[in-house]
């Protein structure tokens, strides 16, 4: 049970725009986290703790920062700059007071930078990534930005990123550890999308795991999606790339794929290119199907694909297809654990469903290992290339343990 909790608390999106990226803090960042709080400007304008130690920073990263990711209310990113093949943490950006509702919800942006991170555009790129993630993946409708009256650089950054002044509020800010008047700026999802669509040269990629428009009555926009990169050190979930095409053809031409999935027969490089360049990006743009490549972290070799088929509010169906070279390695189990963590912790889904054509015992046993509970067998519910076949249905709730919930009742050795 404890291993399950750890799994649920670790995944988080990794977003990038040129040399600037956002990722979750780890305890290895404790010294940098503390240094951000020592910065005089952060102490002056953001009530940063000038006395923070690396030990205290590590406690916060493992405590309140992790809790914020677990409950979805405070998502604190490390701002990372890549230079000369290396990287360094140059600040922190938070999506605070996140409150998601069926109609969108709201949150606020907070940012602190080290002196080394100022003046090279990192802040603007970081805020752009955060806005894209908030409006795209989280589906928020409104973001707020609060800063103290007199903190002109913060207000200017907000306005460059599309925020507009909504009010000047007495006692809403902080300066030198005391209460001061504050500015409140605001940006809506509709305004953000309009700004992105109207300025292609400035448009950063938007992390999108929700419909870009139609679901809320707004016009559909051709917004590129950022596919989050997730890893547990054993497998990487990332976007499909052109160099995956050859292995994808091999995976989709295997006897296992032909027997148990709905991949086109006679799978060709043309099929693979269409899947990589059209079907998958469209799925992320609309939020209907979120497909990840599963790769080896050492070689970046494609192992298979997993996806979330988001057809109903609060739930998604899991899709999976791995190559022969990856079967029996545990990669599929690790990949689906990451996928489940992303679904429950980042998308705030309540249920995942798993279906398999009878008698695909290998698929059913994998779901069983992951904690999916067997719901039943539906006769004739699977379309086996034009012929009705029976379907097994299994379900995993966000509150369920990620371990078998009942004794295994299938064959001793899974057969496919």
């Amino acid at each position: 049970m404890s291993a399950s909790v750890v799994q649920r608390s670790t995944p988080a999106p990794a977003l990038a725009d040129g040399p600037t990226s956002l990722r979750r803090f780890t305890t290895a960042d404790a010294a940098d986290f503390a240094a951000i709080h020592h910065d005089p400007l952060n102490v002056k304008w953001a009530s940063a703790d000038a006395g923070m130690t690396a030990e205290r920073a590590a406690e916060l990263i493992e405590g309140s920062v992790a809790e914020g990711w677990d409950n979805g209310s405070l998502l604190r990113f490390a701002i990372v700059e890549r230079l000369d093949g290396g990287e360094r943490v140059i600040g922190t950006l938070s999506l605070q007071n996140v409150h998601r509702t069926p109609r969108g919800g709201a949150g606020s942006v907070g940012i602190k930078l080290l002196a080394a991170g100022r003046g090279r555009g990192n802040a603007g790129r970081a805020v752009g990534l955060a806005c894209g993630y908030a409006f795209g993946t989280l589906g928020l409708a409104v973001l707020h930005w609060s800063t103290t009256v007199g903190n002109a650089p913060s207000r200017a950054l907000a306005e460059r990123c599309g925020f507009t002044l909504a009010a000047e509020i007495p006692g809403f800010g902080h300066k030198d550890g005391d209460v001061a008047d504050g500015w409140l700026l605001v940006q809506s999802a509709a305004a953000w999308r309009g700004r992105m669509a109207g300025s292609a040269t400035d448009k950063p990629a938007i992390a999108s795991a929700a419909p870009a428009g139609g679901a809320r009555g707004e016009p559909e926009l051709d917004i590129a999606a950022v596919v989050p990169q997730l890893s547990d050190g054993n497998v990487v979930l990332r976007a499909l790339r052109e160099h995956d095409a050859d292995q994808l053809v091999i995976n989709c031409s295997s006897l296992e794929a032909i027997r148990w999935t709905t991949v086109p027969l006679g799978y060709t490089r043309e099929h693979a290119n269409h899947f990589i360049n059209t079907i998958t990006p469209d799925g992320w743009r609309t939020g209907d199907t979120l497909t990840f490549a599963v790769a080896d972290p050492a070689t970046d070799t494609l192992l298979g694909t997993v996806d979330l088929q988001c057809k109903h509010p609060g739930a998604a169906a899991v899709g999976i297809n791995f190559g022969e070279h990856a079967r029996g390695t545990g990669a599929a189990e690790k990949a689906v654990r990451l996928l489940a963590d992303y679904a429950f912790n980042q998308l705030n889904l309540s249920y995942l469903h798993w279906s398999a054509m009878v008698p695909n015992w290998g698929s059913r046993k994998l779901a069983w290992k992951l904690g999916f509970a067997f719901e039943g067998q539906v006769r004739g519910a699977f379309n086996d290339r034009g012929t009705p076949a029976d379907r097994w249905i299994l379900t995993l709730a966000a509150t369920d343990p990620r371990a078998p919930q009942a004794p295994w009742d299938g064959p001793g050795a899974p057969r496919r």
Side-chain angles (χ1 to χ4, degrees):
M1 187 69 164
S2 60
S4 173
V5 173
V6 171
Q7 280 287 336
R8 292 187 64 187
S9 68
T10 51
L15 312 174
D17 181 8
T20 308
S21 62
L22 300 180
R23 62 164 172 78
R24 184 165 167 171
F25 277 102
T26 71
T27 51
D29 302 318
D32 294 321
F33 190 93
I36 293 166
H37 286 76
H38 301 165
D39 183 88
L41 290 181
N42 295 330
V43 173
K44 178 176 182 177
W45 296 112
S47 296
D49 181 3
M52 183 177 292
T53 64
E55 291 76 14
R56 175 58 180 156
E59 291 174 359
L60 290 172
I61 291 169
E62 291 185 322
S64 60
V65 173
E67 290 168 5
W69 279 101
D70 285 344
N71 62 39
S73 64
L74 174 57
L75 311 182
R76 190 181 300 276
F77 292 92
I79 305 173
V80 177
E81 183 180 40
R82 295 189 300 276
L83 292 171
D84 301 323
E87 67 172 42
R88 59 178 176 177
V89 175
I90 57 169
T92 176
L93 187 148
S94 301
L95 292 173
Q96 307 165 356
N97 305 315
V98 176
H99 180 66
R100 300 174 68 185
T101 72
R103 301 179 67 85
S108 59
V109 178
I111 184 170
K112 299 183 184 76
L113 288 174
L114 287 167
R118 300 184 180 114
R120 292 196 298 276
N122 290 299
R125 287 188 291 270
V127 174
L129 289 167
C131 288
Y133 179 69
F135 292 135
T137 297
L138 299 184
L140 300 185
V142 177
L143 280 178
H144 301 119
W145 183 296
S146 62
T147 190
T148 302
V149 172
N151 190 353
S154 176
R155 177 173 171 176
L157 171 61
E159 291 175 339
R160 286 198 305 273
C161 295
F163 288 78
T164 58
L165 183 66
E168 183 173 317
I169 306 173
F172 197 62
H174 300 87
K175 182 178 179 181
D176 293 328
D178 203 356
V179 173
D181 294 347
W183 286 316
L184 176 65
L185 298 95
V186 66
Q187 180 163 207
S188 69
W192 168 261
R193 294 183 181 115
R195 182 169 171 265
M196 293 299 97
S199 181
T201 57
D202 271 345
K203 181 169 70 175
I206 294 180
S208 176
R216 297 190 180 97
E218 302 161 10
E220 284 285 337
L221 301 175
D222 185 15
I223 299 176
V226 170
V227 180
Q229 182 165 304
L230 314 173
S231 180
D232 65 353
N234 298 293
V235 295
V236 174
L237 271 59
R238 58 162 174 78
L240 277 161
R241 299 168 183 159
E242 292 286 348
H243 69 256
D244 296 322
D246 289 340
Q247 186 61 54
L248 187 62
V249 172
I250 295 172
N251 291 0
C252 293
S253 300
S254 73
L255 294 178
E256 296 289 297
I258 293 170
R259 177 67 183 96
W260 300 119
T261 77
T262 58
V263 295
L265 298 178
Y267 203 89
T268 65
R269 179 65 182 262
E270 184 177 356
H271 285 120
N273 288 336
H274 182 64
F275 185 72
I276 292 169
N277 297 315
T278 302
I279 294 176
T280 296
D282 284 351
W284 278 95
R285 180 180 57 81
T286 63
D288 289 341
T289 304
L290 314 181
T291 303
F292 290 92
V294 182
D296 183 307
T299 65
D300 200 37
T301 300
L302 181 71
L303 303 175
T305 59
V306 292
D307 62 52
L308 293 170
Q309 300 154 25
C310 307
K311 307 300 183 184
H312 306 289
V318 175
I320 180 170
N321 183 28
F322 274 71
E324 295 283 359
H325 63 304
R327 295 196 177 110
T329 65
E333 180 180 345
K334 295 180 177 68
V336 179
R337 288 192 185 280
L338 285 171
L339 187 73
D341 288 328
Y342 176 71
F344 292 137
N345 296 334
Q346 308 308 319
L347 303 184
N348 281 354
L349 299 185
S350 298
Y351 297 97
L352 289 180
H353 297 124
W354 185 292
S355 67
M357 183 168 65
V358 179
N360 188 352
W361 287 106
S363 177
R364 180 167 163 178
K365 189 161 191 180
L366 174 57
W368 170 81
K369 288 180 180 178
L370 295 162
F372 284 78
F374 181 64
E375 304 289 359
Q377 180 172 323
V378 183
R379 293 182 294 174
F382 199 101
N383 179 4
D384 184 14
R385 305 191 186 280
T387 301
D390 293 350
R391 181 193 296 268
W392 282 322
I393 303 292
L394 302 96
T395 304
L396 180 69
T399 54
D400 288 341
R402 310 294 170 80
Q405 299 187 50
W408 174 241
D409 59 358
R415 53 186 173 82
R416 295 175 178 266

